[in-house]
Amino acid sequence: MAYIRIPTLVCLFLSTILGTCTSADGTPPPIFVLGDSTADVGTNSHMPQSRARANFLHNGIDFPHSRPTGRFSNGFNSADFLGKKFGLKRSPEPFLSLLTLGSRFKKHLLKGVNFASGGAGLLDVTGSNLTVIPLSQQIAQFSTVRDNLTALIGHDETDKLLCRSLFFISTGSNDIFGYFVANSTIPKSEFINILISAYSDHIVALYNLGARKFGIISIPPVGCCPSQRLRQKAVNGVDDCFNPMNDLALDFHSALDNLLGSLTTGLPGFKYSLGNAFRMTMDVIRNPQPFGFENVESACCGSGHLNAQGICNRTASLCPDRRTYLFWDLFHPTMKASSLAADTLYSGPPIYVSPINFSQLADNNNQ
Ligand SMILES: *C1O[C@H](CO)[C@@H](O)[C@H](O)[C@H]1NC(C)=O
Ligand SMILES: *[C@@H]1O[C@H](CO)[C@@H](O)[C@H](O)[C@H]1NC(C)=O
Ligand SMILES: *[C@@H]1O[C@H](CO)[C@@H](O)[C@H](O)[C@H]1NC(C)=O
Ligand SMILES: *[C@@H]1O[C@H](CO)[C@@H](O)[C@H](O)[C@H]1NC(C)=O
Ligand SMILES: *[C@@H]1O[C@H](CO)[C@@H](O)[C@H](O)[C@H]1NC(C)=O
């Protein structure tokens, strides 16, 4: 046989040089999701000992069949809406439920996996009191998935699959909550450095496992969530966002922006898109009407002042029109807010998502 076969090694070498991850047939990219409750689609429901769970009503009231699924939302969350943008029905399944799937494991694995765990953060200490899966452990789980993929389709195909996969990470809010709950004496700038250094380690670990395309969602104005408005009232006696927390979120965003820019030079083929959750949410809070929101201060589901003194559960009070609320419970956005966020991440302008948006991140013809 006298045909010339280009060795696989050369192809991989070339694709590294060119920094491209191509898909021959244009199939949607697999999606791997890591992070916290904004993206958890049932991880913590698999851990009965976890104190950060949402697998009970009124959570899930707007999910198909009004089913509580462990999502901290009245329905779908951002991971679901991002999944839809890339051709899935919703978010990929949680890692912990894939383990129970048996023979259907493979079919699901090839679409991607969701590792996000409510209460978790960048630091292992964050949420440790609640029993959650910190980011480092989520990455260890991803490493297992990579082994499973390798066993299914081999090394080369796994490398190719991961190269064109999207890795969405939504984390950091709980680290900031932790900083204030612990009344930490670490100076703020030093704390930001600790978080950014941890983020850098996590991204490099994922890169070393084959991840190339990162869709990163930074910290929203956590000081404006109903629970922190309560804190502001208690501490300073005024109705407003708790601004020290927002300042930290803002500083985190610029530090993360710098980090990602600098990682680009050291990691061949690394590609990212950074969603500015602070700015997108703040713009809605300052000017809610065009987005269809009528209440951007209270929780839709909860109890007490701003519906933020108690958690959302079956006996909590529920707002009449959930589509007009920004916040579902004392910490989390409504399904409507999550849908808007996903739209902006997918196709928004550079003020909200940069240097490219998530649709461009997935686009192989536009490297
Ligand atoms: C982001 O996404 C859209 C849709 O894919 C794309 O057409 C557009 O050029 C991007 N927007 C900006 C402002 O870069
Ligand atoms: C864990 O809980 C204990 C007691 O409830 C508290 O003193 C400690 O600060 C908490 N640690 C963290 C990291 O939140
Ligand atoms: C996935 O990989 C891990 C670690 O190699 C292994 O223990 C586990 O059995 C695999 N699961 C499946 C379903 O293949
Ligand atoms: C937090 O720490 C400061 C000084 O370190 C102290 O004055 C303040 O009372 C503490 N607040 C709480 C709620 O523990
Ligand atoms: C709901 O949560 C509140 C605290 O916010 C608690 O008092 C109440 O017992 C809970 N209801 C149920 C059914 O667990």
Side-chain angles (χ1 to χ4, degrees):
M1 289 272 259
Y3 68 93
I4 299 169
R5 188 169 170 271
I6 302 172
T8 307
L9 203 62
V10 172
C11 295
L12 286 177
F13 179 68
L14 279 175
S15 75
T16 305
I17 295 214
L18 300 171
T20 57
C21 306
T22 48
S23 151
D25 55 1
T27 46
I31 291 174
F32 296 92
V33 183
L34 300 100
D36 59 24
S37 55
T38 55
D40 185 336
V41 292
T43 298
N44 288 9
S45 307
H46 288 274
M47 301 191 292
Q49 72 280 27
S50 175
R51 285 163 51 223
R53 286 190 295 153
N55 54 345
F56 43 81
L57 288 171
H58 302 309
N59 295 296
I61 190 168
D62 296 316
F63 200 82
H65 312 292
S66 292
R67 187 163 62 91
T69 58
R71 288 167 173 81
F72 296 77
S73 168
N74 52 313
F76 293 106
N77 68 22
S78 301
D80 294 306
F81 289 113
L82 285 174
K84 279 188 198 204
K85 297 282 185 199
F86 294 100
L88 299 180
K89 194 177 168 197
R90 55 183 70 151
S91 163
E93 294 291 312
F95 173 73
L96 294 182
S97 50
L98 286 181
L99 295 178
T100 67
L101 279 179
S103 60
R104 288 183 296 132
F105 184 73
K106 176 180 174 179
K107 186 179 122 223
H108 282 272
L109 207 57
L110 295 173
K111 289 185 202 165
V113 180
N114 186 321
F115 304 90
S117 168
L122 288 158
L123 308 179
D124 285 356
V125 66
T126 299
S128 55
N129 272 356
L130 302 171
T131 309
V132 303
I133 302 180
L135 203 48
S136 59
Q137 209 181 321
Q138 294 178 32
I139 294 169
Q141 291 176 334
F142 168 68
S143 175
T144 300
V145 163
R146 185 176 183 267
D147 290 346
N148 296 143
L149 281 168
T150 306
L152 281 173
I153 59 175
H155 269 291
D156 292 357
E157 287 303 315
T158 299
D159 283 348
K160 281 191 223 158
L161 180 132
L162 295 180
C163 186
R164 66 182 186 89
S165 296
L166 301 176
F167 288 78
F168 295 136
I169 312 178
S170 177
T171 186
S173 299
N174 291 317
D175 300 290
I176 292 195
F177 286 131
Y179 179 83
F180 282 91
V181 168
N183 198 15
S184 178
T185 53
I186 301 171
K188 286 183 181 174
S189 59
E190 199 179 311
F191 184 65
I192 296 288
N193 289 342
I194 293 171
L195 294 186
I196 293 299
S197 156
Y199 220 144
S200 178
D201 292 348
H202 293 315
I203 290 172
V204 170
L206 285 166
Y207 177 90
N208 287 336
L209 290 167
R212 291 296 178 268
K213 298 180 173 188
F214 292 80
I216 301 215
I217 302 161
S218 75
I219 304 180
V222 273
C224 293
C225 69
S227 63
Q228 303 312 307
R229 284 183 184 270
L230 281 192
R231 178 195 292 266
Q232 172 71 342
K233 183 84 174 171
V235 174
N236 298 315
V238 291
D239 293 311
D240 195 3
C241 300
F242 183 58
N243 289 313
M245 217 175 238
N246 283 352
D247 292 344
L248 213 54
L250 263 181
D251 291 349
F252 178 83
H253 180 84
S254 12
L256 182 55
D257 201 9
N258 289 338
L259 170 71
L260 293 169
S262 69
L263 284 177
T264 307
T265 49
L267 307 174
F270 174 77
K271 204 174 162 193
Y272 75 94
S273 170
L274 173 61
N276 189 339
F278 192 95
R279 183 148 188 186
M280 0 174 150
T281 311
M282 222 42 177
D283 285 356
V284 171
I285 290 175
R286 293 203 176 113
N287 189 19
Q289 282 81 15
F291 303 95
F293 291 115
E294 283 160 20
N295 191 320
V296 295
E297 296 178 1
S298 304
C300 171
C301 180
S303 58
H305 186 52
L306 298 179
N307 246 359
Q309 286 175 298
I311 63 159
C312 175
N313 60 20
R314 194 183 283 276
T315 50
S317 89
L318 199 56
C319 68
D321 186 356
R322 299 184 280 279
R323 290 184 57 86
T324 65
Y325 274 66
L326 180 62
F327 291 101
W328 165 238
D329 66 7
L330 70 175
F331 290 114
H332 303 103
T334 51
M335 167 160 130
K336 167 77 183 298
S338 302
S339 164
L340 257 179
D343 288 346
T344 306
L345 292 167
Y346 185 77
S347 57
I351 51 159
Y352 295 129
V353 53
S354 69
I356 52 175
N357 58 38
F358 283 18
S359 73
Q360 294 165 316
L361 186 66
D363 185 357
N364 293 310
N365 302 317
N366 182 22
Q367 297 289 322

